[in-house]
Amino acid sequence: MNQPRTLLQRGLRHPSFVIGGILTLALLVGALLSFIWTPWSPYAMNMEAKLLPPSPQFWMGTDAFGRDVLSQIMVGARSSIAVGVIAVGIGVVFGVSLGLLASALRGWVEEVIMRMSDFTFAFPAILSAIMMTAVFGPSMVNAIIAIGIFNIPTFARITRASANAVWAREYIMAARACGKNRFSITLQHVLPNILGVLTVQATIQFALAILAEAALSYLGLGTQPPQPSWGRMLSDAQTLMFQAPLLAVFPGVAIALSVLGLNLLGDGLRDVMDPRLSRQR
């Protein structure tokens, strides 16, 4: 009888996990590399070199201000990752805490938390960002807060549902019979058993955060100039679709591959972290 495979071994045998991991790693490497090297400065304008096609000098061409497109995409990955990490972090910290609290205490506490989550769902990230922009002005910080607030009820609901299933297990009843309180049971038994579900959900929300950041930047509500952003690159390219269509293709492909990679990674993690798979073969 073969020993159960490790998480990494099962992952390397899962196509979605491998492809998603490669695409996600490429996103991270591009963003990290941009801190120490880019082909050209993403901020320097050169009107004599504007709207150049891809060439050995400018691998993805230049925009209407003569800025290198590849350099902007590399630096723009920073904004996408920063928004995704912080916004998902907000959702995880507050949403998971509320979901565990609702599942542990039940009764009116659970009802209040779930109704608050329903109310928050009525204000999607873009609508929240528009409202915050009207009051505080457009910025990356406001976009992060808006996306993060929208993530809270998502994590609260999935945490509560997953935790409720764990609370019905026999070992939870045994722990309660031994005199453990709900707080100890939540931290020692419930939370560890739902980490896999939360990890998968985090990768999905990360992908959605990248899309939301691109949409907000496209509308002028997210990352502000001169900081490069994939969404704003698409916005700037829309008036040049017939003159230089590749200006829209490159940031669009970057967004699509990043979201695809994170979704495939989440799908692969869901299968790899399934404990039933560790018993196969």
Side-chain angles (χ1 to χ4, degrees):
M1 182 176 180
N2 294 334
Q3 294 295 323
R5 299 181 186 278
T6 65
L7 184 67
L8 180 59
Q9 288 175 331
R10 297 200 305 272
L12 293 177
R13 295 173 63 88
H14 197 289
S16 293
F17 182 88
V18 173
I19 297 173
I22 292 173
L23 293 176
T24 303
L25 182 62
L27 170 67
L28 295 174
V29 169
L32 293 175
L33 184 61
S34 69
F35 282 103
I36 58 176
W37 176 83
T38 54
W40 299 86
S41 170
Y43 311 104
M45 300 184 191
N46 182 4
M47 299 307 294
E48 296 181 356
K50 67 178 183 178
L51 298 180
L52 293 179
S55 65
Q57 185 178 15
F58 300 102
W59 295 351
M60 291 186 179
T62 59
D63 65 5
F65 298 100
R67 297 173 297 190
D68 181 52
V69 173
L70 176 58
S71 300
Q72 291 187 76
I73 287 179
M74 292 175 64
V75 177
R78 297 184 206 166
S79 302
S80 297
I81 292 175
V83 171
V85 170
I86 300 175
V88 172
I90 292 173
V92 168
V93 171
F94 293 99
V96 172
S97 299
L98 290 173
L100 290 174
L101 185 65
S103 179
L105 299 182
R106 309 298 288 268
W108 66 269
V109 174
E110 181 181 29
E111 189 68 19
V112 169
I113 291 176
M114 290 301 100
R115 297 297 75 76
M116 289 176 59
S117 297
D118 293 339
F119 176 78
T120 307
F121 269 128
F123 298 93
I126 294 179
L127 179 59
S128 299
I130 291 174
M131 292 189 297
M132 294 184 66
T133 298
V135 178
F136 303 107
S139 69
M140 180 190 289
V141 174
N142 291 339
I144 290 174
I145 294 174
I147 299 171
I149 290 175
F150 185 72
N151 279 332
I152 292 175
T154 301
F155 280 99
R157 293 171 74 90
I158 194 169
T159 299
R160 175 244 185 185
S162 301
N164 282 348
V166 175
W167 275 100
R169 301 289 178 84
E170 290 79 4
Y171 57 84
I172 298 296
M173 297 179 186
R176 296 180 66 179
C178 291
K180 288 188 176 182
N181 58 43
R182 289 182 174 271
F183 180 76
S184 298
I185 293 175
T186 297
L187 293 182
Q188 296 177 12
H189 301 287
V190 177
L191 182 58
N193 280 282
I194 65 173
L195 281 178
V197 175
L198 297 178
T199 301
V200 172
Q201 188 64 33
T203 61
I204 295 173
Q205 294 303 122
F206 200 147
L208 294 177
I210 290 178
L211 277 177
E213 189 278 332
L216 292 172
S217 296
Y218 180 85
L219 296 173
L221 305 177
T223 306
Q224 298 299 300
Q227 182 67 23
S229 168
W230 293 344
R232 199 175 62 255
M233 290 176 70
L234 285 174
S235 178
D236 295 339
Q238 67 179 350
T239 58
L240 301 168
M241 286 297 295
F242 296 102
Q243 188 175 358
L246 290 180
L247 288 180
V249 171
F250 290 126
V253 169
I255 295 171
L257 290 180
S258 299
V259 173
L260 175 64
L262 287 165
N263 281 326
L264 289 176
L265 182 62
D267 181 67
L269 281 172
R270 181 186 60 203
D271 295 339
V272 170
M273 299 183 74
D274 188 339
R276 292 172 297 184
L277 297 180
S278 64
R279 305 188 186 99
Q280 294 182 355
R281 298 184 182 179

